[in-house]
Amino acid sequence: VQLQASGGGLVQAGGSLRLSCAASGRTFGSYIMGWFRQAPGKEREFVTYIHWGGRSYYADSVKGRFTISRDNAKNTVYLQMNGLKPEDTALYYCAAGPLTSSSAGDYDYWGQGTLVTVSS
């Protein structure tokens, strides 16, 4: 599986962005798809994942503001980010793996990352 993330950019606090992650491969629908982020000088952290059936889970820091969704027909997963805060500034990565997990080590495939910058 190859992943290509896009949609990052510069936005003011309180604004919105939608990230996309396009996947190659016929088995996309069988993978758990996750989003992680890494801020400058910090470790990569879990944001959210979505099961192939649509069930999702969020980190407390984004719950109620971010929404993950997937379109298995288009081999694409989305991350709608509303109410953005300066502390959301990071490089955002999409990932694919076999487990419903918030641990980066449980994901086998990673996209290249897309930068989100939130100004105050």
Side-chain angles (χ1 to χ4, degrees), residues 31-43:
Y31 283 100
I32 307 303
M33 298 299 299
W35 286 96
F36 290 76
R37 65 187 182 186
Q38 187 166 16
K42 295 188 177 181
E43 295 188 352

Side-chain angles (χ1 to χ4, degrees), residues 48-78:
T48 180
Y49 68 67
I50 187 166
H51 187 265
W52 58 266
R55 178 169 55 88
S56 57
Y57 179 77
Y58 298 89
D60 288 342
S61 59
V62 306
K63 199 173 296 182
R65 300 188 297 123
F66 290 11
T67 303
I68 189 171
S69 61
R70 66 189 295 165
D71 185 336
N72 290 335
K74 294 183 178 180
N75 282 10
T76 302
V77 63
Y78 304 97

Side-chain angles (χ1 to χ4, degrees), residues 11 14 22 34 45 50 57 75 78 94-95 100 109 117:
V11 63
E45 66 172 0
I50 187 166
Y57 179 77
N75 282 10
Y78 304 97
C94 59
T100 51
Y109 305 98
T117 304

